[in-house]
Amino acid sequence: MRRIHYVAYLVCPVITVLFSLMIGFVTMYIHNSIPTLFVFLSVQFYLNWYLVYSINKKAAIPFTMATCQESQCSGSKFWYCGKCKHYTRRPAHHCILCKKCFYYRDHHCFFLGGCVLRQNMGNFILVCLYASFSCIYSVFTLGPYLYNYFVHADTTKLNVYYFALNFFFPITLAKFLLVGDESANVFLVTLFNVSVSIACFSLVYGLWKLFTCLTGRQRYYPDDGKHQDVYQIFGSYGFLNVIFPFNGFLQSRSIDENTYIFT
């Protein structure tokens, strides 16, 4: 199982890059131009992905020690990591893929290649939302294109059920393999189906993570359920980070009041 996780750790980010580039090139090819809105969404996606990854790489445990006296470790304030061989202050968790402990860790994202922490949670939420918006844009580009493609391919089957079936990947693949129907454009239908799936999942998951932060249901606050406001999630620039990730590039971000400053 650990080997499968490690393979996914290496392969999933590559798949994410390849698919995002593929859907970008196809969208621009259909437009016969470079859509400004799509470029903006794509750039924001990559910028926030970079920040999720870079913050994950630079993040470290604020306080560690090799040994811990009984008086120091009382009250469950410290936790011993058997992998790193040291004591650290709670809440800290070890990631077997990143091979180090993190403070206020939420989960490891295979598709982004790093751990989502309190420091980069805002960037992770924006990655999900911009991935969803980019895929929605591509769906509204591919949809009309495929519709016109199927209309010109076969004008004898102009009904709702025919078009609905042609937009599903299993149907188009079966027609292509069994019947040899050239009108079944498997490649574009595959992109269309995957884009719809990513758009739905990313939007729901991103909004869910935002909701958990606002309501104190984050995984990195298992005990007190601390609520976070917009500035604690995205940084001191708040919703301005939606336009550009200012807090990730222009200044440090505090994750634990006066204890630990990420730079």
Side-chain angles (χ1 to χ4, degrees):
M1 182 62 68
R2 183 171 297 181
R3 179 172 296 181
I4 296 176
H5 287 170
Y6 185 71
V7 172
Y9 170 74
L10 297 176
V11 174
C12 286
V14 177
I15 295 176
T16 305
V17 172
L18 293 178
F19 178 79
S20 61
L21 293 176
M22 186 185 305
I23 199 69
F25 285 128
V26 170
T27 301
M28 289 186 286
Y29 173 78
I30 293 175
H31 269 280
N32 290 322
S33 63
I34 302 178
T36 304
L37 178 59
F38 184 77
V39 171
F40 171 77
L41 296 174
S42 300
V43 169
Q44 293 299 319
F45 169 78
Y46 284 115
L47 286 177
N48 283 282
W49 182 3
Y50 166 76
L51 290 174
V52 169
Y53 183 80
S54 63
I55 291 174
N56 166 81
K57 289 299 181 183
K58 295 178 182 178
I61 291 295
F63 178 78
T64 60
M65 53 187 176
T67 60
C68 184
Q69 302 296 327
E70 184 176 353
S71 59
Q72 293 177 309
C73 298
S74 60
S76 300
K77 293 183 179 180
F78 295 92
W79 170 73
Y80 180 76
C81 177
K83 301 291 184 180
C84 297
K85 306 298 182 183
H86 63 214
Y87 287 90
T88 184
R89 206 187 69 171
R90 295 180 184 272
H93 298 87
H94 183 88
C95 178
I96 60 174
L97 298 174
C98 297
K99 298 181 180 179
K100 64 177 180 178
C101 290
F102 291 104
Y103 204 44
Y104 288 121
R105 176 180 178 269
D106 189 84
H107 70 282
H108 184 95
C109 180
F110 286 98
F111 292 101
L112 301 185
C115 282
V116 178
L117 319 170
R118 180 182 168 185
Q119 307 102 295
N120 58 16
M121 175 59 77
N123 299 112
F124 176 75
I125 292 173
L126 291 176
V127 166
C128 293
L129 296 182
Y130 278 119
S132 177
F133 297 153
S134 299
C135 287
I136 290 174
Y137 189 98
S138 298
V139 166
F140 279 96
T141 301
L142 285 170
Y145 181 85
L146 287 172
Y147 177 86
N148 293 327
Y149 184 89
F150 291 132
V151 167
H152 289 89
D154 191 349
T155 59
T156 64
K157 301 178 181 179
L158 297 179
N159 60 74
V160 176
Y161 299 103
Y162 172 74
F163 285 110
L165 290 176
N166 275 281
F167 276 92
F168 286 96
F169 169 74
I171 302 298
T172 56
L173 181 62
K175 290 174 62 178
F176 181 77
L177 295 177
L178 301 178
V179 185
D181 189 355
E182 296 181 359
S183 65
N185 196 320
V186 180
F187 175 69
L188 290 181
V189 172
T190 302
L191 289 182
F192 181 84
N193 281 254
V194 175
S195 297
V196 171
S197 301
I198 294 176
C200 295
F201 177 80
S202 297
L203 182 62
V204 172
Y205 195 66
L207 292 177
W208 167 250
K209 281 300 178 183
L210 179 61
F211 174 77
T212 58
C213 291
L214 294 173
T215 57
R217 301 181 183 181
Q218 316 92 315
R219 295 180 63 184
Y220 46 75
Y221 281 128
D223 298 323
D224 54 4
K226 183 178 180 180
H227 293 232
Q228 291 179 270
D229 58 29
V230 172
Y231 297 100
Q232 291 173 324
I233 298 171
F234 296 103
S236 59
Y237 286 88
F239 279 124
L240 287 177
N241 287 281
V242 174
I243 302 174
F244 181 82
F246 293 99
N247 281 102
F249 284 106
L250 302 183
Q251 68 175 42
S252 62
R253 179 177 296 173
S254 173
I255 66 165
D256 187 31
E257 287 78 35
N258 300 319
T259 305
Y260 175 51
I261 302 294
F262 167 76
T263 56

